[in-house]
Amino acid sequence: MSVSSTRRILGCIAAALTVAVSGSVTAAAAPTTDADSPELREVMFVGNNWDGTADVIASSGDLAKIARINVIPDKDQRLTEIYLNPVKLAFFLGIRQGPGEGHDQFVDDMYSTPDGSAMVVSRPSFADVVSIDLATGRINWRFPVSGYRSDHMAVSPDGTRVAVSASTSNTVHVLDIATGKQAGSFRTGDKPHENVYTDDGRYLWNMSIGEVNTALDDPFWDWTKGDRRITVVDTRTFRQVRVIDMRERLDAFGRRDLSDSVRPVAFAPDESKLYFQVSFFNGLLEYDTASDRITRVKTLPKNPATSEDRTTWVNDSRHHGMSMSPEGDKLCIAGTMDDYATVADRATLQEGPLVTASKPYWATVSGDGKSCVISESGADSVTAIDFATGRKVATVRVGDHPQRVRIAHVPAGWTGPSAH
């Protein structure tokens, strides 16, 4: 990263934004690195959920592959523990048949440590977070989350803490990224999911999505989905400072037909507006953080080939994945079940060209800020779409079922772990 420890801290502030009984909290924007640093290289981590691997690729340009990391080197040990515990086994198999779509979920989210020496990974099926040494591929530390499944994470702007959603215990744990020790935790609504830091790390927002694995997807059964809300906490105390029930805001806006299960989100650069997706909806909404109200809604095109049977949509998603250009003028949307991605003008919310993509599951921003980068979970690839033109500019093959994609940093000259 940098020669001095000061630059080392600065070097960890850039990664992407981007859930059960009780825990502690961390979520939101990820750390970044000095692009001119002679010691660290900016890359992207791609989590191959069903493989249990993470591909490391170039953060911009042709997205060239650099290395692949095994994020489950302790697989045999973990499976032994699970099969000897009937309760853990029941949840393990439930994850496989539910959110895993018949597969185990070995990697959900990933970030690098400030010094680029390790990758921190949440592993849903193993209900934990681990730190993996990038030089050796060995585990530095392991934190079992409360409950039976870990999910989305976020790194504090200073890069020192990582927050992880424990989705079956309605808890967010906040960990010291270097040691894995819990710094705090807080309670959320049902099934905490996305986490985002705001106000330079002063606050952490958690979006709980409720129950998404049942077949009770008809609007009549919406009441069975649980407590879905946004919980905002003070990151110094982990105390709740605000709760936002989008059901009330949606009703006031005249959209009682929309789910209040908030999925991926993107804040405007000045954090005055929050853009978000909800379950079952092919589009997005705009929420004004100061006036506490929804101000706009945008319905995006449907794919005629997409089944209208909501039970066929993965985990209640219709569209899942959103990012914003660094200038704040463009929004990139992953139209998951409609098999496309598009760049929309933020001022008008008018979509651009529909870029064909196979079940795009996430959207982030390239290291140079010029492109939106989506994971194509149905094609085992990652694709970059130019913010200016809305056209595809690069695609690279990765592992089985890529989901989260995050900006990260590794030592300059690093080509993968030396031991496996």
Side-chain angles (χ1 to χ4, degrees):
M1 185 179 258
S2 163
V3 176
S4 71
S5 60
T6 299
R7 289 187 69 190
R8 219 169 249 132
I9 295 297
L10 292 176
C12 79
I13 300 178
L17 271 178
T18 350
V19 183
V21 172
S22 91
S24 130
V25 70
T26 298
T32 73
T33 288
D34 185 339
D36 299 323
S37 169
E39 297 181 16
L40 285 185
R41 178 183 182 182
E42 181 183 81
V43 297
M44 278 187 171
F45 288 162
V46 181
N48 303 313
N49 193 15
W50 297 347
D51 260 1
T53 63
D55 280 308
V56 183
I57 64 175
S59 64
S60 56
D62 62 1
L63 308 180
K65 292 175 69 172
I66 298 168
R68 175 169 290 180
I69 300 168
N70 175 17
V71 303
I72 49 172
D74 57 340
K75 179 180 179 180
D76 290 344
Q77 180 181 354
R78 300 280 78 83
L79 288 178
T80 298
E81 293 173 352
I82 290 168
Y83 277 87
L84 290 175
N85 185 313
V87 176
K88 288 185 176 180
L89 179 59
F91 276 92
F92 178 80
L93 296 176
I95 291 169
R96 178 184 294 172
Q97 297 307 317
E101 302 175 69
H103 301 264
D104 297 321
Q105 292 193 310
F106 289 131
V107 49
D108 187 276
D109 217 341
M110 319 131 294
Y111 288 98
S112 58
T113 55
D115 62 2
S117 68
M119 168 191 282
V120 178
V121 188
S122 61
R123 307 187 301 181
S125 287
F126 291 163
D128 65 11
V129 180
V130 295
S131 170
I132 296 178
D133 188 293
L134 290 179
T136 67
R138 299 190 179 99
I139 293 177
N140 295 317
W141 55 256
R142 174 176 181 257
F143 180 87
V145 302
S146 55
Y148 302 96
R149 186 177 182 274
S150 55
D151 200 40
H152 287 225
M153 300 197 300
V155 170
S156 59
D158 66 3
T160 63
R161 291 181 173 181
V162 60
V164 57
S165 289
S167 59
T168 67
S169 69
N170 300 346
T171 299
V172 173
H173 299 280
V174 179
L175 313 177
D176 181 293
I177 202 169
T179 67
K181 301 295 184 182
Q182 179 169 279
S185 69
F186 63 89
R187 298 285 291 176
T188 67
D190 292 334
K191 298 295 179 70
H193 193 56
E194 182 82 333
N195 294 291
V196 180
Y197 280 99
T198 63
D199 197 16
D200 294 325
R202 173 70 183 278
Y203 300 107
L204 178 60
W205 293 49
N206 175 266
M207 293 70 180
S208 61
I209 61 174
E211 182 54 64
V212 299
N213 298 315
T214 70
L216 301 177
D217 295 339
D218 185 273
F220 174 80
W221 295 108
D222 185 71
W223 59 274
T224 68
K225 296 293 186 176
D227 177 16
R228 294 157 294 182
R229 55 186 165 92
I230 296 175
T231 302
V232 185
V233 300
D234 186 313
T235 56
R236 298 170 302 179
T237 64
F238 302 110
R239 291 180 179 173
Q240 179 179 297
V241 296
R242 188 179 181 188
V243 172
I244 303 169
D245 182 352
M246 280 299 176
R247 178 75 276 140
E248 298 172 2
R249 281 74 178 170
L250 286 163
D251 291 353
F253 189 71
R255 294 305 301 264
R256 289 179 172 81
D257 60 310
L258 293 181
S259 169
D260 59 347
S261 178
V262 176
R263 311 305 288 261
V265 305
F267 274 97
D270 64 0
E271 298 177 355
S272 64
K273 297 287 192 300
L274 175 70
Y275 297 86
F276 63 96
Q277 297 163 312
V278 297
S279 291
F280 307 118
F281 181 51
N282 50 301
L284 67 143
L285 297 104
E286 177 187 77
Y287 168 79
D288 186 280
T289 58
S291 65
D292 186 26
R293 63 189 183 92
I294 292 172
T295 47
R296 289 191 292 174
V297 62
K298 171 65 177 180
T299 301
L300 289 167
K302 294 181 178 181
N303 183 338
T306 299
S307 170
E308 289 300 320
D309 179 358
R310 288 155 61 121
T311 65
T312 65
W313 301 348
V314 178
N315 300 326
D316 292 358
S317 299
R318 176 102 191 211
H319 288 184
H320 189 283
M322 178 185 300
S323 64
M324 184 177 294
S325 62
E327 298 77 16
D329 60 337
K330 299 290 179 65
L331 283 162
C332 179
I333 310 300
T336 309
M337 301 311 301
D338 289 304
D339 287 334
Y340 71 76
T342 188
V343 173
D345 181 85
R346 184 180 156 214
T348 65
L349 297 185
Q350 178 60 46
E351 72 272 12
L354 303 186
V355 178
T356 300
S358 182
K359 203 171 77 170
Y361 215 86
W362 194 249
T364 189
V365 179
S366 62
D368 60 12
K370 296 180 180 179
S371 300
C372 162
V373 179
I374 61 170
S375 59
E376 294 194 56
S377 62
D380 297 341
S381 62
V382 172
T383 292
I385 300 170
D386 186 79
F387 274 120
T389 66
R391 304 291 182 183
K392 181 190 297 190
V393 292
T395 296
V396 62
R397 293 279 296 178
V398 291
D400 195 6
H401 203 77
Q403 290 190 195
R404 229 64 62 223
V405 182
R406 301 290 192 185
I407 290 288
H409 298 87
V410 299
W414 178 85
T415 57
S418 57
H420 300 282

